[in-house]
Amino acid sequence: MQRIEEIAVLRDRLREARRQLLPVGVVPTMGALHEGHLSLLRRARADNGLVVMTLFVNPTQFNDPSDYDRYPRDLARDAQLAEGESVDLFFIPSKEEMYGEGFVTSVSVGGLSDRLEGASRPGHFVGVSTVVCKLLGITTPDRAYFGEKDWQQLQVVRRMVVDLNIPTEIVAMPTVREDDSLAMSSRNVRLSPEDRRASAILSKALNLVESHVNQGEEDSALLTALLRDTVLSEFRAVLDYAVVVDPETMLEVDTVASGGLAAVAATFGGVRLIDNRLLRRKCP
Ligand code: AMP
């Protein structure tokens, strides 16, 4: 594995790979790697001749500066884990390398970016779409890998790639969970033991909604109330949103008859967690 900090060096290495006709896969991350990230790396390794992992804690997608400051960082451990997954190029640019002097451009995926996570975290998705656009521009990969855990981010990236004619296939990977079903997240390490136990309510609430849908419930208002009330039954949870939406547009829907997404965000002891579940009715 080669560790690279400069865009020009990464480009040189990618040019070489292209000469050898190696398909290139990119996995963008902010580090503090867990099994969720590793599942993306494994899939990228299986699909491609050359795997690039990017590690950049992107300041422009943090609406809360203290969240950026407290974001977990462990470069030595991340490098070891990436090496263990046979990553070829480990790209860790500095802020200055990514946002050079005079940088003023941003990419904004209209509408989609203002809903749910975008409403709670103003500017978040402009930061995300701009940095992903840059990373795809730097690496011009055949494939890029994203987790369904950040469902809305995945939709933003998919929309951007279509709208800007970026010739990269976006590959989505299922959410990897802890034993109690909590979605793995780099932020989980910041939970106190009590909040860590309490946070399992998010996936429990989503399981309950899914089981009601599987039993034939289609009414979004009822499902939303079930989701919200279940999360609120845990007194440590400070609910941000609990909704049932269209899985592509993230707009609220009246019924899940033709599919829907249950999405939830809540804070536990100041640590903000998100989770979601695609709702499909079982065939009769
Ligand atoms: P992050 O480092 O949190 O920006 O995440 C980097 C990538 O890993 C994103 O595409 C995330 O959606 C994905 N990811 C994060 N957590 C998980 C998880 N629990 N399961 C699968 N993918 C994940």
Side-chain angles (χ1 to χ4, degrees):
M1 184 175 84
Q2 186 181 352
R3 190 168 146 164
I4 298 175
E5 291 172 22
E6 286 164 33
I7 293 168
V9 176
L10 179 60
R11 284 229 165 100
D12 279 350
R13 287 291 287 106
L14 287 165
R15 247 192 301 276
E16 248 171 69
R18 299 228 171 274
R19 265 199 295 274
Q20 296 168 35
L21 302 178
L22 295 176
V24 174
V26 167
V27 181
T29 81
M30 297 203 300
L33 300 186
H34 51 64
E35 278 295 321
H37 299 109
L38 302 190
S39 73
L40 271 57
L41 293 176
R42 281 174 204 143
R43 175 70 188 272
R45 185 69 278 169
D47 290 351
N48 300 283
L50 188 108
V51 175
V52 184
M53 181 189 129
T54 70
L55 193 172
F56 181 58
V57 184
N58 176 34
T60 67
Q61 71 189 69
F62 287 81
N63 54 308
D64 172 1
S66 75
D67 189 28
Y68 174 73
D69 293 339
R70 286 180 299 165
Y71 199 81
R73 293 164 170 90
D74 191 342
L75 185 56
R77 178 176 173 275
D78 288 345
Q80 208 172 12
L81 287 169
E83 181 129 45
E85 299 303 333
S86 307
V87 165
D88 297 300
L89 307 179
F90 185 72
F91 180 52
I92 36 163
S94 64
K95 271 192 280 188
E96 294 70 28
E97 184 71 1
M98 288 297 279
Y99 301 111
E101 214 187 308
F103 185 91
V104 288
T105 302
S106 59
V107 177
S108 172
V109 177
L112 193 51
S113 296
D114 302 326
R115 297 167 199 145
L116 303 187
E117 283 303 286
S120 296
R121 305 178 63 190
H124 169 65
F125 283 123
V126 173
V128 169
S129 41
T130 303
V131 80
V132 172
C133 190
K134 282 173 67 63
L135 291 169
L136 297 181
I138 291 165
T139 55
T140 60
D142 296 279
R143 303 182 186 91
Y145 296 81
F146 293 86
E148 290 181 351
K149 191 224 151 211
D150 299 285
W151 185 275
Q152 190 175 1
Q153 167 174 284
L154 178 63
Q155 305 317 309
V156 166
V157 169
R158 281 195 191 289
R159 188 73 250 171
M160 176 187 76
V161 163
V162 170
D163 290 354
L164 299 184
N165 307 96
I166 296 172
T168 296
E169 181 193 347
I170 302 302
V171 181
M173 293 296 289
T175 303
V176 177
R177 296 176 179 280
E178 302 285 357
D179 288 345
D180 65 355
S181 213
L182 173 69
M184 287 194 182
S185 162
S186 302
R187 290 188 173 86
N188 292 353
V189 296
R190 287 177 36 213
L191 292 166
S192 70
E194 297 76 22
D195 285 322
R196 171 64 191 81
R197 272 192 292 278
S199 62
I201 196 66
L202 298 183
S203 54
K204 275 191 205 139
L206 292 167
N207 289 344
L208 197 61
V209 168
E210 186 178 33
S211 73
H212 278 246
V213 172
N214 288 344
Q215 286 159 32
E217 184 57 69
E218 294 180 344
D219 184 332
S220 293
L222 278 171
L223 295 166
T224 301
L226 182 64
L227 183 61
R228 187 194 53 226
D229 293 347
T230 308
V231 174
L232 288 176
S233 71
E234 170 51 67
F235 78 97
R236 304 187 78 88
V238 178
L239 185 65
D240 182 349
Y241 61 76
V243 288
V244 174
V245 292
D246 177 285
E248 274 182 38
T249 63
M250 313 305 284
L251 288 168
E252 293 196 20
V253 289
D254 293 335
T255 166
V256 298
S258 50
L261 180 89
V264 63
T267 302
F268 296 81
V271 180
R272 192 166 180 283
L273 302 178
I274 58 172
D275 201 352
N276 66 78
R277 186 71 48 84
L278 202 53
L279 303 172
R280 285 190 204 94
R281 230 152 64 80
K282 268 192 193 149
C283 294

